[in-house]
């Protein structure tokens, strides 16, 4: 990876905080999030998959798990792909209204950050890097 270590790690940590806060909100205030989903313009698409309360819980768990993995740089590419899989349906069902242009484009920008980590993984100050180093040293230690 050719990025500088501190900016990459800072970008990863700051991006992860968004998912940790959002996921925690889903888990601590599920009724409010479910009500918002139920009144979304494309709520029928979400309701086709599962009841809103179930979706809110599963999304909360996915956001926290993905956010934690991104925070520490563990399985970074997979974590970013999982968060993309959560972010895109949320964006399409909840943010696709003329009133939600700000949140819509916020999600587009977040998607850009996730695509970066899905493509590049994480190198700086990450569990992924520590595991790669450990595997590289393993033959020398045997």
């Amino acid at each position: 990876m050719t990025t500088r270590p501190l900016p990459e790690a800072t970008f990863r940590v700051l991006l992860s905080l968004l998912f940790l806060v959002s996921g925690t909100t889903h888990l601590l205030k599920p009724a409010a999030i479910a009500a918002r989903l139920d009144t979304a313009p494309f709520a029928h698409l979400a309701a086709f998959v599962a009841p809103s309360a179930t979706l809110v819980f599963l999304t909360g768990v996915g956001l926290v798990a993905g956010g934690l993995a991104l925070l520490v740089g563990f399985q970074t590419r997979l974590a970013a792909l999982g968060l993309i899989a959560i972010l895109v349906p949320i964006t399409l069902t909840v943010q696709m209204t003329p009133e939600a242009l700000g949140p819509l484009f916020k999600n587009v920008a977040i998607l850009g950050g996730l695509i970066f980590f899905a493509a590049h993984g994480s190198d700086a100050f990450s569990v992924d890097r520590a595991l790669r180093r450990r595997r590289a040293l393993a033959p020398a230690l045997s």
Side-chain angles (χ1 to χ4, degrees):
M1 189 165 188
T2 59
T3 60
R4 295 186 178 128
L6 191 57
E8 185 238 290
T10 303
F11 180 34
R12 192 184 74 239
V13 167
L14 292 175
L15 185 61
S16 74
L17 295 176
L18 177 84
F19 298 106
L20 292 170
V21 169
S22 181
T24 302
T25 302
H26 277 69
L27 296 173
L28 295 178
K29 298 181 180 179
I33 303 294
R36 183 168 176 224
L37 176 58
D38 289 337
T39 61
F42 296 102
H44 61 283
L45 297 175
F48 181 73
V49 176
S52 59
T54 302
L55 289 174
V56 168
F57 175 75
L58 292 174
T59 299
V61 169
L63 290 170
V64 170
L68 285 172
L70 195 60
L71 177 71
V72 299
F74 177 69
Q75 296 290 321
T76 307
R77 290 174 194 239
L78 186 60
L81 289 172
L83 289 168
I84 289 169
I86 294 170
L87 182 66
V88 169
I90 288 172
T91 302
L92 294 176
T93 56
V94 178
Q95 308 295 349
M96 296 297 288
T97 66
E99 310 80 53
L101 281 180
L104 171 66
F105 282 100
K106 172 196 61 122
N107 284 8
V108 170
I110 293 166
L111 183 61
L114 291 173
I115 290 170
F116 172 85
F117 287 108
H120 297 283
S122 183
D123 194 34
F125 309 106
S126 68
V127 172
D128 289 343
R129 182 178 182 158
L131 292 174
R132 281 193 304 273
R133 284 185 174 184
R134 181 181 228 178
R135 281 190 296 266
L137 291 175
L141 298 175
S142 340

